[in-house]
Amino acid sequence: MKQRTLFSVAALSISLLATQSSFAQQASGNTSASAKSQAVNSIVVVVNDEVITKQELNEKLITVERRLKAQGTALPDRADLQKQLLERMIIDRAQLQLAKENGMRVDDVMLDRSMQRMAEQNKMNMQEFRNQIEREGTSYARFREEIRDDIMMQRVRDREVDSKILITESEVDNFLAAEANAKAGKQELNLAHILIRIPENANADQIALRRNRAEEVLQKLRAGGDFAKLAVTYSDSAEALKGGDLGWREQDRLPQLFLDAVSKIKAGEFTDIIRSPNGFHIVKLNGQRASNDVKAEAAVVQQSHVRHILMKPNQIISEAEVLQKMQDMKKKIDSKEATFEDLAKANSADGSAAKGGDLGWIFPGDTVPEFEQAMNKLAINEVSAPVKSPFGYHLIQVLERKSEDQTNDRQRMAARNALRERKSDEAYQDWLRELRDRTYVEFRTEDK
């Protein structure tokens, strides 16, 4: 690293003695600052063709410590937490690299919509949401990038794991039969989880070492150790930095392995070591409650065959001009001066424009609430007044409606979703293990 200029040209007018003294002091200070800068920005680990720096690790460490304190989790030793966090950063970086290799990206428009939904879920406007994030000690810009990364990793999971989970018709049949024969009502369980992962293609010695580690954790738990703190310290699961918390889940969406194990314990207790293909598990039952999932005896669904014209205000056309143009189009349609189809083809900013605005048959929940509410109030062939939604302004026309009993289809779809979710966690952990094993990782020492 090149030495910075230690004094300005103006300093040459000072006496030689003063200059020499100043030079020595500044050189000493600059060397110290340079060393500190190098230490902060040193490479901690190489992940394929990218690096994780000490500064990145420290920033993440501060954020994780803050979040663990906020949720009341006792902090483990900083060295243990740093080791756990670094492993999570390696796995996340490998997933993001895979996403980029496959051409996945999350643009700012998509990210903004996600941020807006998060604000709405927290019953805040965007400014209030931003202020809250910054009050918690995280810059809004960094938080946005973390959410962008989360979306990318979820897309990778969807592509590499969830889309490849196969559910057979016989599995659905068995699931529905088991539900029908269940004597007790459905339960929701609140679980926490510690996973000691076994490497792919592990030999007997490696498996024994991992078993010993699981036994060590179990002994600490039996001696009164805090489950969340030990999960942060030892667990290899994706939930480790959340204290192993899996949250509330319906029992039919949990792995059967976990259900069988926790059926033998009470709330507040934890299981013995459970073996699975992924590794060794210890599961804690935090609580259980009756599920509020109420099955309808019949599910008669009204569908609407709909078409629309979408216009969006922009720098060229103002909101007032859009509204005026849409009102003019409605008058032309009502007076039969023009057809809905022709006006949609000529004016709609939606992909359905080429089809005259035809959206086909719409089920409840398929569209945003503003669109659905206006659609449901329309008589057949009636054209709505301009309707505002997050996408712009719409003219809506319902061409026909029909009602169908979807009970059986919906039950089978719900069963299929429950089975997929039951298999998903284990498949995801297995895939993460494979990804980690094939990722080139080089740890750098402090003095490099």
Side-chain angles (χ1 to χ4, degrees), residues 19 32 80 83 89 165 221 265:
T19 300
S32 174
D80 291 333
K83 182 179 178 182
M89 290 175 72
I165 295 174
L221 286 170
I265 61 175

Side-chain angles (χ1 to χ4, degrees), residues 239-301:
E239 299 80 21
L241 292 176
K242 297 189 292 182
D245 184 28
L246 296 175
W248 286 98
R249 297 194 190 182
E250 291 179 8
Q251 64 183 48
D252 57 16
R253 295 173 184 268
L254 287 163
Q256 193 63 45
L257 191 71
F258 287 7
L259 287 177
D260 292 341
V262 299
S263 67
K264 303 168 187 173
I265 61 175
K266 299 175 183 177
E269 296 179 344
F270 49 85
T271 67
D272 288 330
I273 295 170
I274 310 165
R275 172 70 192 270
S276 81
N278 284 323
F280 300 101
H281 309 257
I282 304 171
V283 181
K284 181 181 179 183
L285 177 61
N286 291 323
Q288 59 189 106
R289 65 191 181 193
S291 173
N292 57 9
D293 178 33
V294 180
K295 274 199 234 174
E297 293 299 323
V300 178
V301 177

Side-chain angles (χ1 to χ4, degrees), residues 193-252:
H193 171 226
I194 294 173
L195 166 66
I196 307 300
R197 184 181 289 121
I198 298 173
E200 190 176 15
N201 301 320
N203 58 36
D205 289 342
Q206 289 174 309
I207 293 172
L209 284 172
R210 303 308 284 171
R211 174 83 195 195
N212 290 341
R213 185 173 173 86
E215 291 283 2
E216 179 187 346
V217 176
L218 186 60
Q219 288 174 12
K220 290 177 183 291
L221 286 170
R222 287 174 174 166
D226 181 81
F227 194 97
K229 179 179 178 180
L230 289 169
V232 174
T233 306
Y234 291 97
S235 183
D236 297 317
S237 78
E239 299 80 21
L241 292 176
K242 297 189 292 182
D245 184 28
L246 296 175
W248 286 98
R249 297 194 190 182
E250 291 179 8
Q251 64 183 48
D252 57 16

Side-chain angles (χ1 to χ4, degrees), residues 308-324:
H308 79 142
I309 299 171
L310 172 67
M311 294 189 70
K312 305 176 184 180
N314 53 42
Q315 293 178 337
I316 298 172
I317 180 168
S318 68
E319 186 171 6
E321 289 172 321
V322 165
L323 284 170
Q324 184 59 55

